[in-house]
Amino acid sequence: MADLKDFAEQLVNLTVKEVNELADILKEEYGIEPAAAAVAVAGGGAAGGGEAAEEKSEFDVILKAAGGSKLAVVKLVKELTGLGLKDAKELVDGAPKAIKEGVAKDEAEALKTQLEEAGAEVELK
């Protein structure tokens, strides 16, 4: 079992270039189509750190719907964004719209929690 764990760790730590080479070998020598390798590329790229980790650290907070208590959501959006009351109302009425873009994961989750507590439907992208 330890050998399989070592093998899995090696797979996770492959660079994108190495994954592409592995996909070529699997296709040419074993007849395995690279569709399965595409999953490995996605996983390997994320585990590779660098740029992939940076992309995952910034999120957009999207208001999908105001929900049942629209007034509370408008007031909270006004407070969170610093917009005027009219602009905050237009943003809420125009949902789905981004409330904040490119924020850290912790801040995005805190905003989502606050908005959901006010009754809004929120998504992080």
Side-chain angles (χ1 to χ4, degrees):
M1 195 60 135
D3 291 335
L4 289 176
K5 285 191 175 203
D6 291 339
F7 180 67
E9 187 174 324
Q10 288 176 341
L11 281 175
V12 170
N13 291 322
L14 289 176
T15 65
V16 173
K17 182 180 177 185
E18 292 170 330
V19 171
N20 286 332
E21 289 175 14
L22 176 62
D24 290 340
I25 292 168
L26 290 173
K27 183 177 182 182
E28 292 170 10
E29 294 184 22
Y30 300 98
I32 298 172
E33 289 299 316
V39 174
V41 169
E51 294 177 29
E54 288 177 23
E55 290 176 26
K56 296 285 185 185
S57 67
E58 292 186 358
F59 293 87
D60 295 342
V61 180
I62 310 294
L63 176 69
K64 291 176 71 177
S69 75
K70 182 177 166 184
L71 182 59
V73 173
V74 170
K75 286 181 180 180
L76 184 57
V77 168
K78 177 184 178 288
E79 179 184 322
L80 294 174
T81 61
L83 294 172
L85 185 59
K86 179 182 176 193
D87 293 333
K89 181 181 181 304
E90 287 175 3
L91 191 146
V92 171
D93 287 340
K97 282 204 171 181
I99 294 193
K100 286 202 172 184
E101 297 177 336
V103 295
K105 183 179 181 179
D106 294 339
E107 182 181 352
E109 288 179 357
L111 292 170
K112 181 180 179 186
T113 302
Q114 288 177 312
L115 289 161
E116 286 176 341
E117 287 174 358
E121 202 176 313
V122 183
E123 176 183 27
L124 297 181
K125 286 190 175 180

